Amino acid sequence: MKDSTIYNLVKKEEKRQREGLEMIPSENYASTHVRAVLSSYLVNKYSEGYPKKRYYGGNENADEVEIIAQKRAKKIFKVPHANVQPYSGSPANFAVYMATCSPGDTVMGQALTAGGHLTHGHNVSATGIFFKPVQYKVRRSISKGEDLFDFDEIRKLAKEHKPKLIWVGGTAHPLIFNYKKFGIIADEVGAYLVADIAHVAGLIAGGAHPSPVPYVHIVTTTTHKTLRGPRGGLIMVTEKGLKKDPDLAKKIDRAVFPGLQGGPHDNQTAAIAVALYEVAQPSFKKYAAQIVKNSKVLAETLIEGGLTLIAGRSENHLLLVDLTSTFGPGAGVFAQKILDKVGITLNKNTVPEEPMSPYYPSGVRMGTAASTTRGMKEKEMVFIGKTIVKTLNFIKKYRMPAEKEKRTEYIKNFENEIGKIKELKQIREQIKKFALRFPIP
Ligand code: DSN
């Protein structure tokens, strides 16, 4: 018995992914092996507990799978403890709060609108509701070579609020994180320091980026972004973490289960193990290096095309375009929509000191992890960058209304008008032809 409704939608999604360019920096293409294991018989199993200490029978294979996933994570990231059970990044991060804080404790993280993450203490997230968040920001414009962070300001905030926990890591941060400087500040105030490396885990694992491990107590990550695995999460405890609290690994494990989750998703654990096997191959090193090279070339191409980038550069897999000076506040909406029309998928994003809101933001965020998986290199990045610039030219005459109530109508009209532009249809065909030259796994 086949559910043709869902089957057809899955096939349509496959076509969309093949014929378009995935430039959302948190997306990637998992290998066929990862996808196969995800739909294996492990999907049927219940394994509450940890290997050799389960609450159900029949776990001899699930135990081995989880032990292998743990071993591979520890070896790749050079840590003494890894928990591979978090369902994804947000539960992984919440488990860290459970293990290290009590409700109401002060915590500190990079503001979402400044490139951080919801779970680093944003006010609408459980992490900002059950804990007392202090948020640090970044500078909007810096000179060449400068860091986006103002470390004097971050130190001042930490000393004033004495957080129990500090987060370093973000989702829209185009530069390498200076984990060492964050480590010094955390030590000065006696806070736990957690690196959320969800975006750059693959770059760290592949040796293209420095590791936070010597400077932080805990590391969390998702497994599906630059790490190129299934959707999932990892929490790792470092030697520094065990020195601060010898029970930290146990506390993390207890926070994940039974604190927050029930049975682990064994099929997901197996797929994480497969992804980590792939990460350990020499080809992954080349992949990680190529992601960064591609991102730099894409950044240069966009700048040459007249666009403004936050930090003026990219040092990792992503770049954040500030559209305020070129197309006005809120232009991220127009940019995402018009690029969707030509088959280039990226996301609207807030910029530091965002003048509008997360729903009508003034920037777009894009990345190179997925296109690099397809085998695209510098030459292809130049083509993509030029196509983005050419396409964005068509949003020149639009300005997001300042009055909120006028926006829905205005955007509808914008969509109608761009739907009639012949050149956009031609660009869509070019992108399709180009994308099909680079197969997806
Ligand atoms: N949604 C992820 C991202 O796009 O960066 C973060 O959770």
Side-chain angles (χ1 to χ4, degrees), residues 24 26 117 171 199 225 365:
I24 293 174
S26 44
H117 189 248
T171 60
H199 266 264
K225 299 185 175 98
R365 183 185 70 148

Side-chain angles (χ1 to χ4, degrees), residues 398-415:
Y398 298 95
R399 286 291 176 274
M400 188 61 77
E403 304 87 341
K404 276 193 190 144
E405 58 286 0
K406 289 195 181 154
R407 288 181 191 159
T408 311
E409 186 66 29
Y410 190 87
I411 293 168
K412 225 165 109 193
N413 182 49
F414 162 78
E415 286 181 304

Side-chain angles (χ1 to χ4, degrees), residues 252-374:
I252 291 286
D253 286 353
R254 275 203 301 266
V256 174
F257 174 85
L260 264 173
Q261 299 187 171
H265 298 170
D266 294 319
N267 57 324
Q268 188 184 30
T269 308
I272 289 173
V274 171
L276 293 175
Y277 171 85
E278 292 172 358
V279 166
Q281 306 309 310
S283 56
F284 196 86
K285 228 178 158 56
K286 276 197 198 146
Y287 167 63
Q290 190 65 48
I291 292 177
V292 179
K293 281 188 213 163
N294 284 356
S295 193
K296 288 185 174 169
V297 171
L298 184 59
E300 282 155 20
T301 312
L302 296 183
I303 291 168
E304 274 165 29
L307 294 173
T308 305
L309 263 55
I310 294 296
R313 64 194 194 275
S314 168
E315 294 176 347
N316 51 21
H317 63 305
L318 71 79
L319 35 110
L320 184 57
V321 185
D322 182 353
L323 300 165
T324 36
S325 59
T326 30
F327 307 112
V333 176
F334 304 131
Q336 181 188 303
K337 283 185 186 293
I338 203 159
L339 287 162
D340 246 347
K341 269 244 156 321
V342 300
I344 299 178
T345 310
L346 42 65
N347 69 281
K348 59 183 179 184
N349 211 96
T350 52
V351 294
E353 294 169 31
E354 173 61 51
M356 298 288 264
S357 69
Y359 199 72
Y360 298 102
S362 306
V364 282
R365 183 185 70 148
M366 65 186 91
T368 54
S371 49
T372 308
T373 294
R374 294 176 86 159

